[in-house]
Amino acid sequence: MPKNDYSHLKFQVLQEATFCICPYSKRELVSLYFPETPTIDSAVSNLRLWIKRNGEVSEKLRETDYRTHSKIFTPQQVRILVEIFSEP
């Protein structure tokens, strides 16, 4: 029985970074969503505007007791952001 020779095939291993639905500090999460923004404070402002301008996100976050000046996003809040805005 002849052996199959697969040496002519090239296999490429793709490593895909997976985004974790877990608690994030606000600064940590905005740095993922806005990596090109020059300052963290500007990135926080950008995310705050996204949330404010999207009624669905605002309402869902409010239901989780989210406050504008919260320092940490819970996994539930991160999931809401990812569902609406997609992964960073």
Side-chain angles (χ1 to χ4, degrees):
M1 180 176 206
K3 285 186 175 179
N4 290 330
D5 182 13
Y6 296 108
S7 61
H8 65 285
L9 297 176
K10 290 184 180 179
F11 292 96
Q12 183 177 8
V13 176
L14 298 176
Q15 288 185 326
E16 210 174 287
T18 57
F19 181 76
C20 175
I21 302 293
C22 57
Y24 285 92
S25 73
K26 189 174 281 185
R27 290 174 171 268
E28 187 178 23
L29 190 61
V30 299
S31 68
L32 295 173
Y33 271 109
F34 304 99
E36 303 291 321
T37 304
T39 67
I40 291 291
D41 290 337
S42 294
V44 169
S45 294
N46 289 343
L47 183 61
R48 194 174 293 134
L49 280 174
W50 276 15
I51 292 168
K52 184 179 179 181
R53 291 178 179 166
N54 188 306
E56 182 181 5
V57 171
S58 296
E59 181 60 32
K60 286 183 174 186
L61 287 176
R62 220 175 288 118
E63 291 170 3
T64 67
D65 294 323
Y66 170 76
R67 302 288 181 257
T68 304
H69 297 290
S70 298
K71 303 287 185 214
I72 303 289
F73 284 105
T74 66
Q76 182 182 14
Q77 294 165 343
V78 170
R79 184 172 285 109
I80 290 167
L81 295 173
V82 168
E83 285 173 358
I84 306 297
F85 299 137
S86 77
E87 290 184 8

